[in-house]
Amino acid sequence: EDQVTQSPEALRLQEGESSSLNCSYTVSGLRGLFWYRQDPGKGPEFLFTLYSAGEEKEKERLKATLTKKESFLHITAPKPEDSATYLCAVQANNNAGNMLTFGGGTRLMVKP
Amino acid sequence: KAGVTQTPRYLIKTRGQQVTLSCSPISGHRSVSWYQQTPGQGLQFLFEYFSETQRNKGNFPGRFSGRQFSNSRSEMNVSTLELGDSALYLCASSRTGLNQPQHFGDGTRLSIL
């Protein structure tokens, strides 16, 4: 069974304090890994797609990396507006079919 | 460019009833997928439709069904509602399928009394 685990569940940072969020996965037939940001009362907003180990994507203060077993979302010098829940999702095509499996998310709070 | 639109935003039903939720995808997007989000189980994939056909399905009972129309708009139906069906139901669209970034609507909040 495909599994996606995110850690930590919650993270409190001071403004400017860099950190990393982890997404570890156990799937066969990986076709892509996605990072999303979700604000309260809203649907997830797409951030990055990673397709192969070694790939990196960067946008403003965020950088996503991918290995064969996990992905990291690095947040450099975060600001209060970065506070949100960050979700990773894995798309796999295997015996279970073609589907998206989401992790439980990391709730990030950045204090000024 | 208009985003994904879901209606209604909020819905209250009682056990045993059925409900239909609606989703209008981004123009030009032919893939529509549905998700259930709860505090306990997180975000779970329900199914994906493409060109009016269900192409992929998650691990939900048959009470959960959907359809897609020729204009790519989609509906999701839940029959014989149970208390555990209370959740935020999200719809997402993309041009060709699950291997692309999904564009999500803001969901329908369904409460079962």
Side-chain angles (χ1 to χ4, degrees), chain A residues 80-94:
Chain A
E81 53 261 42
D82 294 323
S83 298
T85 295
Y86 290 85
L87 298 163
C88 74
V90 168
Q91 198 240 338
N93 192 356
N94 51 39

Side-chain angles (χ1 to χ4, degrees), chain A residues 4-78:
Chain A
V4 181
T5 304
Q6 290 188 246
S7 61
E9 289 187 10
L11 182 61
R12 288 188 175 193
L13 298 174
Q14 287 296 131
E15 183 173 3
E17 181 186 0
S18 302
S19 188
S20 296
L21 313 183
N22 178 263
C23 171
S24 63
Y25 59 91
T26 311
V27 300
S28 59
L30 175 74
R31 298 191 64 184
L33 185 143
F34 303 87
W35 282 98
Y36 291 88
R37 167 193 171 126
Q38 187 174 24
D39 293 296
K42 298 286 188 180
E45 176 187 347
F46 169 72
L47 294 172
F48 301 109
T49 308
L50 301 165
Y51 289 109
S52 56
E55 192 174 357
E56 298 183 351
K57 294 274 181 71
E58 202 165 348
K59 177 182 175 182
E60 296 180 355
R61 296 179 292 283
L62 300 177
K63 179 179 177 180
T65 62
L66 180 66
T67 72
K68 288 187 178 180
K69 293 185 178 180
E70 59 191 348
S71 175
F72 291 94
L73 184 65
H74 307 279
I75 304 178
T76 302

